[in-house]
Amino acid sequence: MEWGVSDELLGTFMPILVYWVYSGVYVLLGSGSLDNYRLHSRKDEDVKNLVSKGTVVKGVVLQQAIQALVAIILFTVTGNDDSATDIKASVVVLLRQFVTAMLILDTWQYFMHRYMHHNKFLYRHIHSQHHRLVVPYAFGALYNHPLEGLLLDTIGGALSFLLSGMSPRTSIFFFSFATIKTVDDHCGLWLPGNPFHVLFRNNTAYHDIHHQLYGSKYNFSQPFFNIWDRIFGTYMPYSLEKGEGGGFEARPLKEYKAD
């Protein structure tokens, strides 16, 4: 099957396109009559967040530019024509590569993310930029300090690509899927029937807990599973309840101290 452009080019830029299209859908949904599905009110989004949406857009574009540059270099260094291999690859092989890449990305991001919270210098000067979004929203998913974007997302993605053995063509689908999942985790809406909420315990409400002060030392896992949180005792159980002013609220099941 001919794509018209190279798999490497698609693998570089398709996730960026997917990011803005998918987050744009949530922007349109959020501007409609979906307040009853929000995890935070519009007022909270305006008042509690410590950064403007214009600044967020600029920060995300910068991170995506760095990611694209690294992806181009990575594909150039490792490049070969895997089209025939992809055609012959069985569903089992592709599934194994997907799951392997998911576990590698989760592992890398859990430990790097957790370290950035526990190292006061890194948190103050780097990771706190992402937590200026106390009330997350879709297109703020990749709003990070450029160094954090490089360490967590870009290097983590490169490792998952290399160690899983996936081809550039397979990476188009994997990184587009990972992008959609990351945006969904930050969308701030608990929509009925959302497949990510059904299939993953690590979802919008789970990550929203982490963005609150009481949850800042919990729920580090991202973007797929919550395995490492459960293993290392950083899992914060929560209940999803109707908010007093409408919508939903993710509440911890017991009192936790914010260290």
Side-chain angles (χ1 to χ4, degrees):
M1 177 181 177
E2 295 296 330
W3 290 81
V5 293
S6 70
D7 293 338
E8 290 80 3
L9 200 60
L10 285 171
T12 300
F13 292 105
M14 184 61 74
I16 296 175
L17 176 62
V18 166
Y19 182 92
W20 291 109
V21 170
Y22 193 64
S23 62
V25 170
Y26 271 119
V27 170
L28 293 175
L29 290 174
S31 63
S33 56
L34 292 176
D35 286 356
N36 286 334
Y37 301 103
R38 294 175 67 96
L39 294 177
H40 297 273
S41 68
R42 295 175 190 272
K43 181 180 179 182
D44 281 351
E45 184 178 305
D46 294 334
V47 172
K48 291 184 177 181
N49 285 340
L50 306 176
V51 61
S52 71
K53 290 182 177 179
T55 301
V56 168
V57 170
K58 292 176 185 176
V60 172
V61 169
L62 175 59
Q63 176 167 331
Q64 290 176 329
I66 295 171
Q67 285 182 334
L69 178 61
V70 173
I72 290 170
I73 294 171
L74 182 64
F75 284 137
T76 300
V77 171
T78 63
N80 52 54
D81 187 5
D82 285 328
S83 299
T85 304
D86 264 10
I87 292 172
K88 295 177 183 178
S90 69
V91 173
V92 173
V93 169
L94 295 175
L95 183 60
R96 185 194 70 217
Q97 290 174 342
F98 247 72
V99 173
T100 300
M102 291 167 78
L103 292 173
I104 291 169
L105 188 58
D106 264 23
T107 301
W108 176 264
Q109 293 213 351
Y110 174 83
F111 289 103
M112 289 299 297
H113 186 193
R114 182 176 178 178
Y115 184 65
M116 284 195 173
H117 272 271
H118 286 277
N119 183 298
K120 293 181 178 180
F121 178 86
L122 290 178
Y123 184 82
R124 184 180 302 115
H125 296 285
I126 296 177
H127 187 57
S128 62
Q129 179 169 324
H130 182 68
H131 281 272
R132 292 175 188 171
L133 291 177
V134 179
V135 178
Y137 48 78
F139 66 85
L142 290 183
Y143 175 65
N144 300 306
H145 188 284
L147 182 57
E148 176 180 351
L150 178 65
L151 291 174
L152 257 73
D153 299 317
T154 306
I155 293 180
L159 288 172
S160 64
F161 170 75
L162 292 170
L163 298 179
S164 67
M166 67 173 59
S167 68
R169 181 164 296 182
T170 303
S171 78
I172 300 169
F173 299 99
F174 174 73
F175 288 114
S176 294
F177 174 65
T179 297
I180 290 172
K181 178 64 171 61
T182 300
V183 169
D184 207 88
D185 288 347
H186 290 81
C187 72
L189 290 171
W190 191 262
L191 297 176
N194 184 329
F196 291 114
H197 298 165
V198 175
L199 297 174
F200 293 93
R201 297 299 182 189
N202 188 341
N203 51 42
T204 310
Y206 186 87
H207 193 66
D208 182 76
I209 288 285
H210 176 72
H211 272 260
Q212 309 313 306
L213 181 60
Y214 56 77
S216 62
K217 294 297 177 69
Y218 300 90
N219 294 12
F220 297 112
S221 293
Q222 56 185 42
F224 300 112
F225 310 112
N226 59 19
I227 299 169
W228 293 116
D229 276 320
R230 289 184 176 274
I231 291 174
F232 287 99
T234 53
Y235 170 70
M236 179 181 280
Y238 65 92
S239 63
L240 198 63
E241 302 176 17
K242 283 285 187 180
E244 293 180 3
F248 293 96
E249 183 179 352
R251 298 176 183 172
L253 293 181
K254 59 181 180 178
E255 292 295 325
Y256 288 83
K257 280 188 177 180
D259 298 330

